[in-house]
């Protein structure tokens, strides 16, 4: 609740943002990107590595998409601060574009073979191709307009 980039850095004061495995833990990704838009100077660059897979060590390699198996209702019932937010690459891209960034590029760093995984994802929110469930880790690049 006290997370505020603008009060920490000031408006239009940052040239480069580098984030490693943080975005997937933000409860309100849109608000975070909006704050980035405020603190970044025009032309500033954001480079973020985003870990999209389950964070439970004992299941991570065996079933990396485990966090997408559950309906939104059940996932919210077990919510705690910092839990992976399940935001997929296309939603990050759209949010950055809508909130003042350009040249938004998403590159997969780690991919998964989905042939055996998709059948275990009962949640229709994540079954379509746009969700790119084969992307387990991405790098997002964006430039502030």
């Amino acid at each position: 609740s006290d997370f505020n980039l603008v009060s920490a850095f000031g408006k239009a004061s940052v040239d480069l943002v580098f984030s490693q495995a943080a975005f997937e833990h933000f409860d309100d990704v849109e608000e975070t990107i909006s704050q980035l838009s405020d603190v970044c100077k025009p032309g500033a660059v954001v480079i973020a590595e985003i870990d999209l897979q389950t964070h439970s060590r004992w299941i991570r390699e065996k079933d990396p998409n485990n966090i997408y198996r559950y309906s939104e209702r059940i996932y919210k019932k077990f919510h705690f601060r910092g839990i992976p937010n399940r935001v997929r690459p296309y939603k990050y891209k759209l949010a950055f574009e809508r909130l003042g960034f350009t040249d938004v590029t998403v590159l997969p760093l780690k991919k998964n073979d989905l042939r055996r995984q998709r059948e275990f994802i009962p949640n229709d929110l994540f079954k379509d191709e746009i969700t790119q469930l084969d992307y387990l880790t991405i790098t997002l690049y964006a430039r502030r307009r």
Side-chain angles (χ1 to χ4, degrees):
S1 62
D2 62 349
F3 182 78
N4 190 313
L5 294 172
V6 179
S7 66
F9 295 102
K11 287 192 175 245
S13 62
V14 175
D15 292 308
L16 174 67
V17 174
F18 179 78
S19 170
Q20 186 170 16
F23 269 90
E24 69 269 17
H25 295 287
F26 296 134
D27 290 333
D28 190 341
V29 171
E30 298 258 341
E31 176 59 26
T32 302
I33 297 169
S34 177
Q35 288 182 34
L36 279 176
S37 184
D38 287 341
V39 300
C40 286
K41 294 177 182 177
V45 171
V46 174
I47 301 169
E49 180 181 326
I50 304 170
D51 184 355
L52 302 168
Q53 57 194 324
T54 190
H55 284 38
S56 300
R57 295 195 193 295
W58 59 273
I59 201 166
R60 187 172 170 91
E61 293 305 315
K62 191 175 224 49
D63 185 13
N65 286 326
N66 179 271
I67 63 173
Y68 302 100
R69 292 179 184 270
Y70 309 101
S71 70
E72 197 66 22
R73 185 178 63 80
I74 290 177
Y75 201 71
K76 282 183 178 182
K77 194 167 234 18
F78 293 100
H79 182 269
F80 56 89
R81 289 201 73 182
I83 191 172
N85 58 34
R86 305 196 314 175
V87 175
R88 297 307 300 165
Y90 78 99
K91 287 190 175 182
Y92 283 109
K93 185 177 189 319
L94 291 173
F96 270 91
E97 289 170 343
R98 186 172 50 260
L99 293 165
F101 290 84
T102 187
D103 302 328
V104 182
T105 305
V106 173
L107 299 169
L109 289 177
K110 183 177 180 185
K111 291 180 82 173
N112 186 22
D113 181 2
L114 282 182
R115 285 177 288 195
R116 65 185 185 110
Q117 290 280 316
R118 194 173 296 280
E119 65 194 63
F120 297 112
I121 307 291
N123 189 345
D124 288 340
L125 290 171
F126 301 105
K127 278 198 170 183
D128 56 4
E129 292 300 316
I130 196 169
T131 60
Q132 297 171 309
L133 279 178
D134 56 329
Y135 286 21
L136 299 178
T137 306
I138 61 169
T139 296
L140 182 140
Y141 168 89
R143 180 177 305 279
R144 178 72 171 98
R145 282 191 202 109

